[in-house]
Short mmCIF file of all heavy atoms in Angstrom, two decimals:
data_model
loop_
_atom_site.label_atom_id
_atom_site.label_comp_id
_atom_site.label_asym_id
_atom_site.label_seq_id
_atom_site.Cartn_x
_atom_site.Cartn_y
_atom_site.Cartn_z
N GLU A 1 70.70 -21.82 -24.62
CA GLU A 1 71.62 -22.65 -23.79
C GLU A 1 72.09 -23.87 -24.54
O GLU A 1 73.24 -24.33 -24.48
CB GLU A 1 70.91 -22.96 -22.51
CG GLU A 1 71.82 -23.73 -21.56
CD GLU A 1 71.15 -24.06 -20.22
OE1 GLU A 1 70.09 -23.52 -19.96
OE2 GLU A 1 71.71 -24.87 -19.45
N ALA A 2 71.16 -24.56 -25.16
CA ALA A 2 71.42 -25.81 -25.90
C ALA A 2 72.39 -25.47 -27.07
O ALA A 2 73.27 -26.32 -27.31
CB ALA A 2 70.13 -26.39 -26.47
N TYR A 3 72.18 -24.40 -27.72
CA TYR A 3 73.11 -24.04 -28.86
C TYR A 3 74.50 -23.81 -28.33
O TYR A 3 75.43 -24.29 -28.95
CB TYR A 3 72.53 -22.91 -29.61
CG TYR A 3 73.37 -22.45 -30.77
CD1 TYR A 3 73.72 -23.34 -31.73
CD2 TYR A 3 73.92 -21.11 -30.85
CE1 TYR A 3 74.60 -22.93 -32.86
CE2 TYR A 3 74.73 -20.74 -31.90
CZ TYR A 3 75.10 -21.62 -32.83
OH TYR A 3 75.90 -21.30 -33.92
N GLN A 4 74.64 -23.10 -27.24
CA GLN A 4 75.92 -22.81 -26.72
C GLN A 4 76.62 -24.10 -26.23
O GLN A 4 77.84 -24.22 -26.34
CB GLN A 4 75.85 -21.69 -25.60
CG GLN A 4 75.43 -20.33 -26.24
CD GLN A 4 75.27 -19.25 -25.12
OE1 GLN A 4 76.25 -18.75 -24.55
NE2 GLN A 4 74.09 -18.90 -24.79
N THR A 5 75.79 -24.94 -25.65
CA THR A 5 76.33 -26.27 -25.27
C THR A 5 76.83 -27.04 -26.49
O THR A 5 77.92 -27.76 -26.41
CB THR A 5 75.26 -27.09 -24.54
OG1 THR A 5 74.85 -26.39 -23.33
CG2 THR A 5 75.78 -28.43 -24.14
N TYR A 6 76.10 -26.96 -27.54
CA TYR A 6 76.50 -27.56 -28.80
C TYR A 6 77.89 -27.07 -29.27
O TYR A 6 78.79 -27.94 -29.60
CB TYR A 6 75.39 -27.39 -29.81
CG TYR A 6 75.71 -27.82 -31.26
CD1 TYR A 6 76.04 -29.04 -31.57
CD2 TYR A 6 75.76 -26.86 -32.20
CE1 TYR A 6 76.38 -29.50 -32.86
CE2 TYR A 6 76.06 -27.17 -33.57
CZ TYR A 6 76.36 -28.52 -33.85
OH TYR A 6 76.64 -28.86 -35.18
N LEU A 7 78.01 -25.81 -29.27
CA LEU A 7 79.30 -25.19 -29.71
C LEU A 7 80.39 -25.67 -28.80
O LEU A 7 81.51 -25.94 -29.31
CB LEU A 7 79.16 -23.65 -29.72
CG LEU A 7 78.22 -23.00 -30.72
CD1 LEU A 7 78.16 -21.52 -30.52
CD2 LEU A 7 78.60 -23.33 -32.13
N THR A 8 80.19 -25.64 -27.54
CA THR A 8 81.21 -26.11 -26.53
C THR A 8 81.61 -27.60 -26.84
O THR A 8 82.77 -27.89 -26.91
CB THR A 8 80.59 -25.96 -25.09
OG1 THR A 8 80.30 -24.64 -24.88
CG2 THR A 8 81.66 -26.43 -24.12
N THR A 9 80.59 -28.39 -27.04
CA THR A 9 80.90 -29.81 -27.35
C THR A 9 81.73 -30.01 -28.58
O THR A 9 82.70 -30.83 -28.64
CB THR A 9 79.58 -30.60 -27.39
OG1 THR A 9 78.81 -30.43 -26.24
CG2 THR A 9 79.89 -32.07 -27.65
N LEU A 10 81.39 -29.19 -29.62
CA LEU A 10 82.18 -29.32 -30.81
C LEU A 10 83.65 -29.00 -30.62
O LEU A 10 84.54 -29.67 -31.15
CB LEU A 10 81.62 -28.36 -31.89
CG LEU A 10 80.19 -28.70 -32.45
CD1 LEU A 10 79.82 -27.65 -33.55
CD2 LEU A 10 80.09 -30.09 -33.00
N PHE A 11 83.94 -27.92 -29.91
CA PHE A 11 85.33 -27.60 -29.57
C PHE A 11 86.00 -28.75 -28.76
O PHE A 11 87.14 -29.08 -29.04
CB PHE A 11 85.43 -26.32 -28.81
CG PHE A 11 85.27 -25.07 -29.69
CD1 PHE A 11 84.28 -24.07 -29.43
CD2 PHE A 11 86.12 -24.86 -30.76
CE1 PHE A 11 84.24 -22.99 -30.20
CE2 PHE A 11 86.01 -23.72 -31.58
CZ PHE A 11 85.07 -22.75 -31.29
N GLU A 12 85.27 -29.30 -27.79
CA GLU A 12 85.84 -30.38 -27.02
C GLU A 12 86.11 -31.55 -27.88
O GLU A 12 87.21 -32.25 -27.66
CB GLU A 12 84.85 -30.81 -25.92
CG GLU A 12 84.67 -29.73 -24.83
CD GLU A 12 83.59 -30.02 -23.89
OE1 GLU A 12 82.70 -30.93 -24.14
OE2 GLU A 12 83.49 -29.41 -22.76
N LEU A 13 85.25 -31.89 -28.88
CA LEU A 13 85.45 -33.08 -29.64
C LEU A 13 86.72 -33.00 -30.59
O LEU A 13 87.23 -34.05 -31.00
CB LEU A 13 84.21 -33.38 -30.50
CG LEU A 13 83.01 -33.86 -29.72
CD1 LEU A 13 81.74 -33.92 -30.70
CD2 LEU A 13 83.25 -35.22 -29.16
N VAL A 14 87.14 -31.87 -30.86
CA VAL A 14 88.39 -31.64 -31.69
C VAL A 14 89.55 -31.29 -30.81
O VAL A 14 90.66 -31.02 -31.30
CB VAL A 14 88.17 -30.64 -32.80
CG1 VAL A 14 87.10 -31.11 -33.82
CG2 VAL A 14 87.87 -29.21 -32.25
N GLY A 15 89.46 -31.47 -29.46
CA GLY A 15 90.55 -31.31 -28.62
C GLY A 15 90.90 -29.93 -28.20
O GLY A 15 92.05 -29.67 -27.71
N GLU A 16 90.01 -29.01 -28.29
CA GLU A 16 90.26 -27.54 -27.93
C GLU A 16 90.19 -27.38 -26.42
O GLU A 16 89.27 -27.88 -25.75
CB GLU A 16 89.32 -26.59 -28.60
CG GLU A 16 89.43 -26.56 -30.10
CD GLU A 16 90.48 -25.58 -30.56
OE1 GLU A 16 90.98 -24.79 -29.72
OE2 GLU A 16 90.87 -25.62 -31.73
N ASP A 17 91.10 -26.62 -25.84
CA ASP A 17 91.08 -26.22 -24.46
C ASP A 17 90.12 -25.09 -24.29
O ASP A 17 89.81 -24.37 -25.22
CB ASP A 17 92.43 -25.88 -23.91
CG ASP A 17 93.44 -27.03 -23.95
OD1 ASP A 17 92.93 -28.13 -23.78
OD2 ASP A 17 94.64 -26.79 -24.17
N ASP A 18 89.58 -24.94 -23.08
CA ASP A 18 88.69 -23.71 -22.72
C ASP A 18 87.50 -23.66 -23.72
O ASP A 18 87.21 -22.61 -24.26
CB ASP A 18 89.46 -22.40 -22.78
CG ASP A 18 90.65 -22.38 -21.78
OD1 ASP A 18 90.40 -22.90 -20.66
OD2 ASP A 18 91.65 -21.91 -22.06
N ALA A 19 86.90 -24.78 -23.91
CA ALA A 19 85.90 -24.88 -24.95
C ALA A 19 84.68 -24.00 -24.74
O ALA A 19 84.17 -23.38 -25.61
CB ALA A 19 85.37 -26.36 -25.04
N PHE A 20 84.30 -23.89 -23.46
CA PHE A 20 83.16 -23.00 -23.16
C PHE A 20 83.45 -21.59 -23.45
O PHE A 20 82.58 -20.87 -24.04
CB PHE A 20 82.72 -23.23 -21.67
CG PHE A 20 81.53 -22.35 -21.30
CD1 PHE A 20 80.30 -22.63 -21.71
CD2 PHE A 20 81.75 -21.20 -20.52
CE1 PHE A 20 79.16 -21.83 -21.35
CE2 PHE A 20 80.63 -20.45 -20.18
CZ PHE A 20 79.39 -20.72 -20.61
N ALA A 21 84.58 -21.12 -23.02
CA ALA A 21 84.98 -19.72 -23.31
C ALA A 21 85.02 -19.40 -24.80
O ALA A 21 84.63 -18.34 -25.30
CB ALA A 21 86.33 -19.36 -22.63
N LYS A 22 85.54 -20.43 -25.57
CA LYS A 22 85.55 -20.21 -27.04
C LYS A 22 84.17 -20.18 -27.68
O LYS A 22 83.87 -19.37 -28.55
CB LYS A 22 86.42 -21.32 -27.65
CG LYS A 22 87.92 -21.18 -27.25
CD LYS A 22 88.75 -22.33 -27.82
CE LYS A 22 90.22 -22.06 -27.39
NZ LYS A 22 91.09 -23.22 -27.85
N ALA A 23 83.28 -21.02 -27.20
CA ALA A 23 81.95 -21.06 -27.59
C ALA A 23 81.25 -19.71 -27.33
O ALA A 23 80.48 -19.22 -28.12
CB ALA A 23 81.12 -22.17 -27.04
N GLU A 24 81.58 -19.16 -26.18
CA GLU A 24 80.94 -17.82 -25.79
C GLU A 24 81.35 -16.78 -26.84
O GLU A 24 80.61 -15.89 -27.19
CB GLU A 24 81.41 -17.40 -24.36
CG GLU A 24 80.67 -18.10 -23.28
CD GLU A 24 80.93 -17.53 -21.96
OE1 GLU A 24 82.17 -17.30 -21.65
OE2 GLU A 24 80.00 -17.27 -21.17
N LYS A 25 82.64 -16.79 -27.29
CA LYS A 25 83.11 -15.83 -28.28
C LYS A 25 82.41 -15.98 -29.59
O LYS A 25 82.10 -15.02 -30.26
CB LYS A 25 84.66 -15.87 -28.37
CG LYS A 25 85.48 -15.47 -27.22
CD LYS A 25 86.93 -15.53 -27.42
CE LYS A 25 87.69 -15.04 -26.19
NZ LYS A 25 89.12 -15.07 -26.29
N VAL A 26 82.20 -17.20 -29.98
CA VAL A 26 81.51 -17.49 -31.27
C VAL A 26 80.08 -16.97 -31.12
O VAL A 26 79.58 -16.30 -32.09
CB VAL A 26 81.49 -19.03 -31.55
CG1 VAL A 26 80.60 -19.30 -32.74
CG2 VAL A 26 82.87 -19.55 -31.75
N TYR A 27 79.44 -17.26 -30.06
CA TYR A 27 78.06 -16.79 -29.90
C TYR A 27 77.97 -15.24 -29.85
O TYR A 27 76.99 -14.73 -30.42
CB TYR A 27 77.53 -17.40 -28.55
CG TYR A 27 76.05 -17.16 -28.37
CD1 TYR A 27 75.06 -17.97 -28.98
CD2 TYR A 27 75.59 -16.13 -27.53
CE1 TYR A 27 73.67 -17.77 -28.82
CE2 TYR A 27 74.23 -15.84 -27.39
CZ TYR A 27 73.30 -16.72 -27.98
OH TYR A 27 71.94 -16.49 -27.86
N SER A 28 78.95 -14.61 -29.23
CA SER A 28 78.95 -13.17 -29.22
C SER A 28 79.08 -12.55 -30.66
O SER A 28 78.43 -11.61 -30.97
CB SER A 28 80.19 -12.69 -28.37
OG SER A 28 80.30 -11.31 -28.46
N ILE A 29 79.86 -13.21 -31.50
CA ILE A 29 79.96 -12.81 -32.87
C ILE A 29 78.70 -12.86 -33.60
O ILE A 29 78.26 -12.02 -34.27
CB ILE A 29 81.13 -13.47 -33.60
CG1 ILE A 29 82.49 -13.05 -33.00
CG2 ILE A 29 81.09 -13.18 -35.11
CD1 ILE A 29 83.64 -13.86 -33.61
N GLU A 30 78.02 -13.99 -33.43
CA GLU A 30 76.79 -14.29 -34.08
C GLU A 30 75.74 -13.25 -33.63
O GLU A 30 74.95 -12.69 -34.45
CB GLU A 30 76.32 -15.67 -33.74
CG GLU A 30 77.13 -16.76 -34.44
CD GLU A 30 76.46 -18.15 -34.26
OE1 GLU A 30 75.35 -18.16 -33.81
OE2 GLU A 30 77.18 -19.16 -34.53
N LYS A 31 75.77 -12.97 -32.38
CA LYS A 31 74.73 -11.95 -31.81
C LYS A 31 74.93 -10.57 -32.41
O LYS A 31 74.03 -9.87 -32.70
CB LYS A 31 74.83 -11.99 -30.30
CG LYS A 31 73.66 -11.20 -29.62
CD LYS A 31 73.62 -11.48 -28.17
CE LYS A 31 72.45 -10.69 -27.56
NZ LYS A 31 72.39 -10.95 -26.04
N GLN A 32 76.20 -10.19 -32.54
CA GLN A 32 76.51 -8.93 -33.18
C GLN A 32 76.07 -8.92 -34.67
O GLN A 32 75.54 -7.96 -35.19
CB GLN A 32 78.00 -8.62 -33.06
CG GLN A 32 78.40 -8.33 -31.63
CD GLN A 32 79.93 -8.15 -31.45
OE1 GLN A 32 80.40 -7.01 -31.87
NE2 GLN A 32 80.68 -9.13 -31.04
#
């Protein structure tokens, strides 16, 4: 959970919309 929150925060800090959904996609790729 902390790692996915970290990914979400990174997207937010560079101005990305839908940061949580984007973090989920990144995490999904890593898990695969």
